[in-house]
């Protein structure tokens, strides 16, 4: 479980107590149960902090939270094989492979249809979602890696669509992996 936050509005001067402050907080959890627990703990902490400082607290929750991504292993295996055939390399760093790279609405979709969220190296060690990473995205090396990764996605789709037994395996794994509804119920 993770909590990420920033202070959007903390006042204008450090020596003046503002009449109102505002924070934007992201809560992230592995599943719905952990999200419910984390939400209760975060709410209690924020209310307690408000009471301790003589402040009122108000919460506005997003109507469409992101669900945890269910990456479809058989489809991911096909993608990796296709990507490697094009020259893309994959890390063996277990810490890197098991570290979440952020929230995405693909998590919600992955509870309904089989999904993968392919990632690939662009020639930088910069932290994802940093300014340095954004700059690295504009390099020739990043462009070339994006082209190869896009080709690998297309080849993956072609292989899945042309092999009914593989499509069935992907569907079966998806059904087994998604015993609960996503946080956002799609119409």
């Amino acid at each position: 479980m993770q909590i990420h936050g920033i202070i959007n509005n903390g006042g204008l001067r450090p020596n003046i107590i503002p009449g109102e402050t505002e924070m934007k907080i992201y809560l992230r959890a592995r599943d719905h149960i952990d999200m419910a627990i984390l939400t209760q703990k975060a709410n209690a902490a924020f209310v307690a902090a408000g009471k301790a400082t003589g402040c009122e607290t108000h919460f506005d929750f997003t109507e469409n939270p992101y669900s945890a991504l269910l990456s479809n292993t058989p489809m991911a295996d096909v993608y990796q094989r296709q990507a490697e055939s094009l020259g893309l390399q994959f890390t063996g760093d277990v810490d890197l492979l098991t570290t979440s790279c952020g929230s995405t609405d693909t998590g919600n979709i992955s509870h309904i249809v089989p999904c993968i969220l392919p990632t690939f190296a662009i020639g930088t060690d910069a932290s994802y979602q940093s300014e340095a990473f954004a700059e690295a995205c504009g390099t020739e090396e990043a462009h070339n890696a994006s082209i190869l990764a896009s080709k690998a996605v297309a080849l993956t789709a072609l292989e899945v669509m042309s092999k009914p037994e593989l499509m069935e395996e992907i569907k079966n794994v998806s059904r087994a992996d998604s015993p609960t509804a996503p946080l956002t119920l799609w119409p």
Side-chain angles (χ1 to χ4, degrees):
M1 294 187 276
Q2 298 175 347
I3 298 177
H4 304 276
I6 62 167
I7 298 172
N8 294 29
N9 175 6
L12 300 175
R13 297 178 192 249
N15 63 336
I16 298 175
I17 298 171
E20 179 177 291
T21 61
E22 181 179 297
M23 294 180 68
K24 185 167 191 125
I25 305 290
Y26 287 164
L27 304 178
R28 293 189 174 140
R30 178 175 44 94
D31 57 34
H32 301 85
I33 295 167
D34 283 350
M35 180 61 81
I37 293 167
L38 181 59
T39 300
Q40 288 178 341
K41 287 181 176 181
N43 285 353
F46 298 141
V47 168
K51 286 181 180 178
T53 57
C55 299
E56 294 179 24
T57 54
H58 301 280
F59 302 98
D60 293 319
F61 292 98
T62 180
E63 293 181 26
N64 298 308
Y66 294 132
S67 297
L69 176 70
L70 299 175
S71 184
N72 187 278
T73 301
M75 193 184 319
D77 291 344
V78 172
Y79 170 78
Q80 182 169 349
R81 186 172 35 76
Q82 293 292 355
E84 286 174 340
S85 77
L86 296 170
L88 288 174
Q89 296 179 348
F90 288 79
T91 182
D93 183 342
V94 175
D95 289 335
L96 185 60
L97 291 171
T98 57
T99 301
S100 174
C101 63
S103 299
T104 172
D105 54 1
T106 304
N108 298 40
I109 295 165
S110 72
H111 286 260
I112 300 167
V113 297
C115 289
I116 58 174
L117 186 62
T119 59
F120 52 93
I122 62 167
T124 182
D125 290 330
S127 177
Y128 180 68
Q129 294 184 338
S130 67
E131 288 183 31
F133 186 86
E135 287 177 25
C137 288
T139 65
E140 187 71 22
E141 185 175 356
H143 175 76
N144 292 337
S146 297
I147 296 296
L148 290 176
S150 298
K151 287 179 181 181
V153 169
L155 289 168
T156 299
L158 184 62
E159 183 173 339
V160 169
M161 290 187 299
S162 66
K163 294 183 177 176
E165 68 284 353
L166 177 58
M167 176 73 83
E168 195 58 34
E169 178 187 6
I170 288 169
K171 288 179 181 178
N172 288 337
V173 167
S174 183
R175 285 185 201 106
D177 284 349
S178 185
T180 59
L183 291 175
T184 300
L185 297 177
W186 299 91

